[in-house]
Amino acid sequence: MASDPRQTSPHHDETGAPPGGAPRSSYFGAVTSVLNVIGTLLILAMAVAVNADVIGRNLFNQPISGVLEFMGLSIVAIVFLQMANTLRVDRHVSNDIIMRAIAQSRPRFAALTYAVFNLIGAVLMALIVIYVWPILEENYRHGYFRGTAGFAEVPIWPFYSAIVVGAAITAIQFLLFAWRALRRAGAVQG
Amino acid sequence: MDEILIGALCLAASLVLIQSGMHIGVALMLLSFVGVWAIKGLGIAGKLMSSSVATSIASDAYAVIPLFVLMGLFVSSTNMGRDTFDVAALFMRRVRGGLGMATVAANAVFAACTGTTIASASVFTKVAVPEMIRHGHTPGFSVGVVAGSSVLGMLIPPSILMIIFGVIANVSIADLFKSGIVPGLLLSIAFCVTIMLLSYFRPTFVAADPKALSGDYKGPLTEAPLWAVGMKFLPIVVLVGTVLGGIYGGFFTPTEAGGAGALAAFLIALFRRELTFRIFWEVALETGRVTAAICFLLMAAALYAQMLTLSGLPYAVGQWLQNAELPVMSILIGYLAVIIVLGCFLDSVSIMLIVLPFVIPVFEAFGINLVWLGLISVIAIEIGLLTPPLGLAVFVVKANLEDQRITAWQIFMGTMPMTLTMVAVLAICVLFPWLALALVGQRWSWW
């Protein structure tokens, strides 16, 4: 992590490419990168906001209202904005030591297993989209917000729409990985 | 079907899927969803899932995670780790086995700026291992000291694991941070004692040629004037002072300390002229990925905890333990043993997420102090980071080694003395809770 923060995953060292690694450039990869950038900007905004609040409160006796509410909602949005890209570069937490060993002797079985796991991941993301959609709609329709009324209102719906969009894109990424794993299973056989 | 059985089946199935390589968050969330569905029906399962995703972590207590990660990555992107090691090596140069102790000392200071073991392990693998090997230490011992002392990263505040424990157990994060200071220092000293004993009584384990051990270390600072040494040390002192001083001086909360620390680390990196826009952006992107990975696990864990509660499984286990009339100490030892064993094949965050929903109600019923429980849980989990087959710290060290001839097994063997030292310190902290609680200002004890 000293010079290259990317070298933190313990899974990358032996075979180089992660099992679910994606091609370096693609249109879809660009979509995940855009979400990633928005999420990253949101993190930086959080860092700026919290420091502005601390400095304002301690030096000028002037706290900034709504910062805590903004941070609480942002963290949820950040997770889903980064989700697809995190999946794409294989940085979600998993423990594939056993499956890697199996892949050495039975690559087709391992590829099929990864295909199934990726399909399940897509199903889970689809479920998240299905079940978060109603609360997004409700918050949008009623204009719900967090914070003090008329003073520091942080609207909720933009953050919840980040969940829906992020989960949908992540579902597609899972499907792409599943498709590739299936093709790999077929190629090994042929 | 019996609800307790459903809970147990979901737990077992998720462990199997996790071991087969499915993403831990996906496995945990999906099986919890299925579990709630089986117990309460699809509608409730959907509602609980949406709330676990949308609201379970929507609080500023969780916003601290990306901020501390950001700070740690800024620090790691500079040469502050190397400077700290150089200064420590200078001070320890006349001590037998001093280079190993310098690694421990530098790790202890560095731990106060990062919240993860992984950050410490990767930095000091690059900084300390080549230097130790160059001075005649065996590769196994060199990497063992780095992997072992990297666990200080999670023990000495700030610590991501403690934040997660605090949120799950509903315990003050500031108190948890305070509880880690004395045990962290104790562990550092114990590591140094272990290194000294090894270098006197097992010199061939430490260095192929034991002559290498007797002082006369030549480092980059050997000839440097005192002010130059001070300048090397100043940035990290400022950073640690900002974070810890700010929290305990009452200027800001632990959440805000993450933000202030990230800003301070950013400014220091800027002043040191070690921050290009490329590095800055890479650090920010990486922060997002680490955050997404950890927080998705937390969301999954929220649903999992609700599924467990609905199944009544933790309650049944608690009842069973109480009816068995076992002494609390034996339950506690059993708990720590389970954590250490789980550490052999799960990562530290997942262990907390899976085990804590079970044990917290039980231990609370027994009147155990939860701050202290958090501290000993973190130490026990960190022991798992050093044990095969899935010693995460060991694999991080291996991934960052320049000399790839050193095998994971060599690292595990080299770490063994440090692992045993940790077990000893864990036992001491279990027996004497005031070590953890003195700075917190809480009184609780066995006796």
Side-chain angles (χ1 to χ4, degrees):
Chain A
M1 215 183 285
S3 54
D4 183 357
R6 282 165 304 181
Q7 295 181 347
T8 49
S9 169
H11 302 300
H12 287 283
D13 53 332
E14 283 140 25
T15 54
R24 282 229 168 260
S25 65
S26 73
Y27 291 114
F28 187 74
V31 173
T32 71
S33 296
V34 169
L35 292 185
N36 197 21
V37 167
I38 300 173
T40 302
L41 291 176
L42 207 49
I43 291 180
L44 296 178
M46 257 168 56
V48 170
V50 74
N51 278 298
D53 187 30
V54 167
I55 292 170
R57 194 180 57 216
N58 282 304
L59 293 188
F60 307 107
N61 208 12
Q62 187 73 259
I64 299 170
S65 42
V67 165
L68 291 187
E69 289 78 9
F70 167 71
M71 302 223 318
L73 287 168
S74 293
I75 182 74
V76 177
I78 286 166
V79 172
F80 278 91
L81 290 170
Q82 312 277 12
M83 185 87 79
N85 190 262
T86 308
L87 173 63
R88 198 174 171 78
V89 299
D90 192 38
R91 293 295 304 279
H92 275 296
V93 186
S94 68
N95 173 12
D96 54 0
I97 288 182
I98 296 173
M99 199 45 77
R100 271 168 181 274
I102 292 175
Q104 298 289 324
S105 53
R106 310 187 60 182
R108 186 150 182 268
F109 173 76
L112 281 174
T113 310
Y114 279 122
V116 171
F117 284 178
N118 280 309
L119 279 175
I120 292 176
V123 169
L124 180 71
M125 289 301 139
L127 285 171
I128 291 178
V129 172
I130 290 169
Y131 287 110
V132 174
W133 181 260
I135 57 173
L136 164 64
E137 209 183 7
E138 191 189 345
N139 276 287
Y140 180 75
R141 208 151 16 99
H142 296 282
Y144 287 142
F145 57 86
R146 278 202 186 184
T148 328
F151 189 57
E153 299 181 7
V154 184
I156 293 176
W157 70 265
F159 298 92
Y160 282 7
S161 39
I163 300 181
V164 171
V165 172
I169 299 292
T170 310
I172 297 172
Q173 182 67 67
F174 267 124
L175 287 177
L176 288 175
F177 277 174
W179 173 244
R180 235 201 19 202
L182 279 176
R183 275 213 324 221
R184 200 166 46 203
V188 171
Q189 186 192 33
Chain B
M1 199 169 22
D2 187 14
E3 288 171 359
I4 294 178
L5 186 63
I6 295 175
L9 282 178
C10 288
L11 175 60
S14 54
L15 283 177
V16 169
L17 284 178
I18 288 169
Q19 287 310 303
S20 323
M22 191 189 256
H23 288 173
I24 294 170
V26 171
L28 216 51
M29 193 178 270
L30 194 74
L31 281 162
S32 307
F33 177 80
V34 172
V36 178
W37 184 0
I39 297 169
K40 290 275 172 188
L42 187 57
I44 304 269
K47 276 216 168 60
L48 287 185
M49 178 188 243
S50 67
S51 79
S52 76
V53 165
T55 54
S56 71
I57 70 161
S59 119
D60 60 293
Y62 291 96
V64 71
I65 293 175
L67 297 176
F68 275 127
V69 171
L70 188 62
M71 165 175 156
L73 287 176
F74 271 134
V75 173
S76 306
S77 74
T78 70
N79 281 324
M80 270 195 245
R82 176 176 298 280
D83 287 354
T84 312
F85 174 75
D86 286 345
V87 173
L90 181 72
F91 280 110
M92 305 274 193
R93 69 185 183 282
R94 306 210 187 283
V95 186
R96 194 174 164 93
L99 215 47
M101 294 180 204
T103 307
V104 173
N107 246 312
V109 177
F110 197 73
C113 323
T114 59
T116 63
T117 290
I118 292 173
S120 301
S122 50
V123 165
F124 284 96
T125 305
K126 287 176 182 152
V127 170
V129 171
E131 204 65 358
M132 288 177 76
I133 292 179
R134 194 163 68 81
H135 284 85
H137 294 72
T138 60
F141 175 76
S142 310
V143 291
V145 167
V146 169
S149 52
S150 67
V151 301
L152 293 168
M154 281 294 193
L155 197 54
I156 295 177
S159 153
I160 298 281
L161 265 190
M162 284 183 178
I163 293 169
I164 291 170
F165 182 93
V167 175
I168 297 178
N170 201 12
V171 175
S172 150
I173 292 168
D175 283 351
L176 282 168
F177 278 6
K178 282 182 205 164
S179 78
I181 295 175
V182 174
L185 293 177
L186 180 69
L187 185 60
S188 314
I189 294 168
F191 279 155
C192 288
V193 170
T194 303
I195 290 169
M196 181 175 280
L197 291 177
L198 282 173
S199 61
Y200 276 106
F201 297 107
R202 287 281 181 280
T204 48
F205 179 82
V206 178
D209 178 10
K211 262 187 284 181
L213 291 177
S214 46
D216 226 28
Y217 167 74
K218 289 265 186 300
L221 293 177
T222 312
E223 309 282 317
L226 197 60
W227 65 265
V229 176
M231 286 306 287
K232 289 265 182 190
F233 206 49
L234 184 66
I236 204 148
V237 171
V238 169
L239 193 56
V240 174
T242 307
V243 173
L244 295 186
I247 297 179
Y248 302 123
F251 295 105
F252 37 73
T253 64
T255 315
E256 295 167 342
L263 177 68
F266 166 74
L267 290 178
I268 290 171
L270 210 59
F271 275 120
R272 294 169 61 101
R273 298 168 182 277
E274 285 176 330
L275 199 64
T276 61
F277 181 76
R278 226 186 91 81
I279 295 177
F280 171 79
W281 189 243
E282 196 52 56
V283 162
L285 286 179
E286 181 62 16
T287 303
R289 294 187 189 122
V290 174
T291 307
I294 294 179
C295 290
F296 184 57
L297 280 181
L298 288 173
M299 291 171 177
L303 188 59
Y304 163 81
Q306 276 178 315
M307 185 276 288
L308 278 185
T309 312
L310 285 177
S311 77
L313 185 59
Y315 180 75
V317 172
Q319 284 291 326
W320 179 78
L321 281 176
Q322 257 162 354
N323 289 337
E325 292 190 0
L326 296 165
V328 193
M329 188 58 122
S330 65
I331 297 175
L332 191 75
I333 291 171
Y335 160 71
L336 293 175
V338 166
I339 291 189
I340 293 175
V341 171
L342 280 178
C344 298
F345 52 94
L346 277 180
D347 71 285
S348 24
V349 177
S350 310
I351 296 174
M352 282 214 161
L353 302 183
I354 291 175
V355 176
L356 289 183
F358 275 97
V359 299
I360 294 215
V362 175
F363 284 131
E364 230 173 353
F366 280 114
I368 296 250
N369 184 297
L370 288 186
V371 173
W372 170 76
L373 182 71
L375 179 93
I376 59 169
S377 303
V378 167
I379 301 180
I381 287 174
E382 294 287 286
I383 291 175
L385 286 182
L386 300 178
T387 49
L390 186 84
L392 192 64
V394 170
F395 285 104
V396 173
V397 166
K398 177 145 174 49
N400 283 286
L401 272 179
E402 282 166 29
D403 186 354
Q404 283 297 327
R405 283 171 301 177
I406 302 174
T407 63
W409 189 247
Q410 263 181 308
I411 307 177
F412 279 126
M413 290 313 289
T415 316
M416 199 60 82
M418 312 304 260
T419 313
L420 295 177
T421 308
M422 281 188 81
V423 174
V425 170
L426 174 62
I428 293 172
C429 289
V430 167
L431 287 176
F432 304 105
W434 57 265
L435 282 171
L437 296 176
L439 285 181
V440 186
Q442 293 184 1
R443 277 162 195 273
W444 182 82
S445 174
W446 294 101
W447 342 100

